[in-house]
Amino acid sequence: MQTDIDPRGLIGRRALDRNGVKIGTVDEVYLDDSTGEPEWASVRTGLFSRDAFVPLEPSELVQDQLCVPFDKALIKDAPDFGVGRHLSPEQELQLYHHYGMAVPPAGSRPQDPADRDFGELAGG
């Protein structure tokens, strides 16, 4: 994702899938505690629906909308970990596998899984 974007500025923005179909609205942004970089966003998928985690890389901010390069069905089927708390390293790995994404190289991640924790930045 563009690194000059303030992650707090994503809250409340519309999220679209790879085909331009509305997924929902960005509810929270999660930072990697070891780097401080935004890693995941939770997207509220409907009034009575749950939040779905989406990766911020390789997503893009286009015309004030978060464009996620995955189909809406895949996003809505993402593992449900609840929101408002940290993602564990195991949960993060489940999300990477769900989206078919390569796990970041070991050199860019702490060796001790307890050192890599994802925190909530802000919520709506």
Side-chain angles (χ1 to χ4, degrees):
M1 195 175 98
Q2 301 163 340
T3 56
D4 59 337
I5 303 295
D6 178 4
R8 288 181 179 93
L10 291 174
I11 307 299
R13 292 188 190 252
R14 173 185 259 181
L16 306 175
D17 79 352
R18 71 179 336 147
N19 301 309
V21 176
K22 183 179 178 185
I23 304 163
T25 304
V26 177
D27 198 22
E28 297 180 335
V29 174
Y30 290 76
L31 302 179
D32 179 326
D33 284 344
S34 64
T35 67
E37 294 296 317
E39 287 282 330
W40 302 96
S42 63
V43 175
R44 174 68 56 182
T45 59
L47 185 59
F48 298 108
S49 300
R50 66 180 182 87
D51 281 32
F53 285 94
V54 298
L56 290 175
E57 179 65 39
S59 299
E60 295 182 297
L61 191 59
V62 178
Q63 298 177 354
D64 292 330
Q65 299 178 104
L66 181 65
C67 298
V68 183
F70 299 100
D71 289 324
K72 184 176 183 174
L74 181 67
I75 294 164
K76 290 184 95 173
D77 284 342
D80 185 1
F81 301 124
V83 294
R85 54 189 173 143
H86 285 78
L87 287 175
S88 72
E90 294 78 19
Q91 290 169 328
E92 179 199 9
L93 287 175
Q94 287 179 29
L95 288 169
Y96 276 112
H97 291 301
H98 174 77
Y99 287 107
M101 298 172 60
V103 177
S108 67
R109 304 174 66 188
Q111 295 299 318
D112 181 358
D115 291 341
R116 185 168 173 85
D117 204 4
F118 290 84
E120 173 188 348
L121 171 68

